[in-house]
Amino acid sequence: MIARLWSELLDTPIASRDANFFEMGGNSLLAAVFAERMRACGRAFPGMRIFERPVLSDLAAALASPVQATLGPAVIPVRRRQGGTNVFFFPTGTGDYSYTFELATDMDSSIGIYALPWPDSLDGVDLDALARAMCEAMMCVQPAGPYLLCGYSLGGLLAHAVAAHLLRSGHPVSFIGLIDVPTGSPYQENGAPKTPRNFILRSIRSKAAQKSPEALEQAVDFIHRARTWAMVDIIEQGRSIGLLNPPAERTSAEMAIAWERSFGFLQAASCYRPGPESMSIEIFQATLQEHHDAPPSPAWNEISPSYDIHTTHVDGGHEDLMNVPETRRQLAAALSRRILLAMPERELAG
C-alpha cells in the first residue's frame, strides 16, 4: 500500500525497498497528503512519521511493529551520497528537523545530507550529554571525520556543542554552520519557564504581542483561563481561536508531547555556555532581526578570540529563512558554496 501511494503522489514507479520519499521528489506538502491518505485507509499515521523514516522498507517495518514505531531512528537520511562527506543537521529548539528536507531540495546535489532527531526523552539531559549522544549516532553513519555540522535557530547551539565535543575528542570538524543562531537561550536573562504549561503560555503571549494589541489582549485573557488546563486542552482551545497554529496533520496530543520535549531542550539550552575551543564558524544571519522579549545575546565573535568566523547575510527574517521559497533558495545557495569549500580536497578533485 505504501509503495502504491508513493507512486501515485510522486508520479513515478517505486521499484526498490530502499527508495527514499524525499530523494524521489517528495516534499513536506506531499508528506502531509500521504499522511492524510494513510489515515483515510484506516491506518494510524502520525504526521512526522515519514520524516522519521523516509526509506520505504524502514517505514513499512515501523508500521508493521507498533513497538518499533515508537523508537525514533538514530539518524535520518535526507539525501544519501555514497562515499562522500555528509552534512549533519540538528533539530531546532522545538525539535523540528523537517526544515532540512525543504532546504536540501535547493542545496547542491553532490552534498549528502542527514538529520538527527532528539532522543525519546530529554528530561534532565544537559546539552553536553545530548551532544555526546548525537556524536555516537553520527559515527554510525560516518565513523571518521572530518565532520560537517549545521543547525538552525536554537538547534545551532546543539551543533556547536557537538562540534566542541568532537574537537575535544580529537575528531576533525571542517564545517560548523550556524543559521541565525543566538549565542544562548533567550531565557538565560529572564529565567526559563518552570513547567511545560508555563512554556507554552509564555510562547502564546510572545507571539500575540508581535501581532497586534488586540491579539495580545485575547492572549492575556486566554492565559488567565488556561493556567490550570492540561497541555492537550491548551493546544486544542488555542488552536480553535487561532492563538496556536500547529501543523494541520498533527493532533493536539502529538503537539503536547512535542511541547514537553521542547521544554526539556529549552532547560538544557538555558544552561549552555559556548566554550573557548578554537574553531571555524560559518554564520548565516538573517538581515531582518525581529524583536523579542528577552535581551539580545552577545555576538559570536564576542564569545572567544579563538573563533574564526565568516558571516553571510541572507535577506529576510528568521522564519523567512525556511518559510519563504526565495529566501530559502538564497540560504541554500550560500550554504552549498561554503560547504563545498570546506569539503576535503580529495572529494572535490573526485
Side-chain angles (χ1 to χ4, degrees):
M1 178 176 68
I2 298 173
R4 175 177 58 81
L5 290 176
W6 282 17
S7 181
E8 292 173 359
L9 286 171
L10 303 175
D11 195 26
T12 186
I14 307 299
S16 170
R17 287 178 56 80
D18 291 329
N20 182 305
F21 183 81
F22 296 98
E23 289 177 357
M24 299 193 68
N27 53 36
S28 58
L29 178 60
L30 290 174
V33 174
F34 172 68
E36 285 298 321
R37 291 191 182 180
M38 286 292 288
R39 288 193 280 265
C41 293
R43 301 297 299 270
F45 195 85
M48 289 297 291
R49 183 59 45 76
I50 194 169
F51 292 99
E52 296 170 350
R53 299 181 183 271
V55 176
L56 179 61
S57 58
D58 292 343
L59 182 59
L63 294 177
S65 172
V67 174
Q68 184 182 6
T70 64
L71 304 175
V75 182
I76 298 168
V78 177
R79 186 169 66 206
R80 297 165 292 185
R81 291 294 177 264
Q82 194 67 31
T85 297
N86 306 294
V87 182
F88 294 91
F89 281 81
F90 297 88
T92 68
T94 62
D96 176 33
Y97 51 82
S98 64
Y99 74 90
T100 311
F101 292 87
E102 297 294 331
L103 192 58
T105 62
D106 294 317
M107 290 178 63
D108 189 283
S109 61
S110 67
I111 300 171
I113 298 173
Y114 285 83
L116 290 97
W118 287 340
D120 289 340
S121 175
L122 293 174
D123 293 342
V125 175
D126 62 41
L127 215 61
D128 289 324
L130 185 55
R132 289 193 295 272
M134 292 290 187
C135 288
E136 292 174 3
M138 286 192 322
M139 289 177 182
C140 292
V141 173
Q142 184 180 316
Y147 291 97
L148 287 78
L149 316 173
C150 199
Y152 167 53
S153 193
L154 279 182
L157 290 182
L158 180 53
H160 183 279
V162 169
H165 178 75
L166 288 168
L167 290 169
R168 286 195 299 267
S169 303
H171 298 285
V173 177
S174 61
F175 181 84
I176 307 167
L178 304 183
I179 305 173
D180 217 41
V181 178
T183 55
S185 163
Y187 295 106
Q188 281 181 349
E189 298 295 330
N190 290 345
K194 304 300 183 185
T195 66
R197 183 191 294 116
N198 182 230
F199 178 35
I200 191 172
L201 293 178
R202 282 175 66 169
S203 296
I204 288 173
R205 189 187 191 285
S206 178
K207 290 287 186 183
Q210 295 175 31
K211 290 182 179 178
S212 67
E214 293 77 18
L216 178 59
E217 183 178 353
Q218 181 190 29
V220 170
D221 177 67
F222 177 83
I223 290 167
H224 179 73
R225 292 183 289 111
R227 292 186 187 279
T228 59
W229 293 358
M231 289 287 289
V232 171
D233 295 328
I234 292 174
I235 294 167
E236 196 73 44
Q237 295 299 318
R239 198 175 208 164
S240 68
I241 61 175
L243 287 175
L244 286 171
N245 297 292
E249 70 272 11
R250 304 192 71 179
T251 68
S252 295
E254 289 174 339
M255 288 306 303
I257 293 171
W259 275 97
E260 288 168 357
R261 284 160 55 77
S262 182
F263 172 73
F265 179 80
L266 175 66
Q267 289 184 306
S270 295
C271 299
Y272 182 70
R273 302 295 186 274
E277 293 87 0
S278 178
M279 60 177 71
S280 297
I281 298 177
E282 294 283 344
I283 293 178
F284 301 86
Q285 185 173 322
T287 55
L288 177 61
Q289 295 298 304
E290 292 102 346
H291 296 286
H292 300 283
D293 292 340
S297 54
W300 280 96
N301 58 9
E302 298 173 16
I303 298 295
S304 171
S306 59
Y307 288 175
D308 179 16
I309 294 176
H310 177 273
T311 301
T312 299
H313 291 95
V314 182
D315 296 335
H318 181 75
E319 295 187 2
D320 297 339
L321 294 173
M322 300 302 166
N323 297 331
V324 176
E326 181 53 41
T327 305
R328 188 173 62 237
R329 283 192 289 270
Q330 183 186 351
L331 170 63
L335 266 173
S336 297
R337 284 194 299 270
R338 302 305 297 180
I339 288 170
L340 291 173
L341 285 173
M343 280 186 169
E345 292 183 7
R346 64 179 182 275
E347 288 188 26
L348 296 177

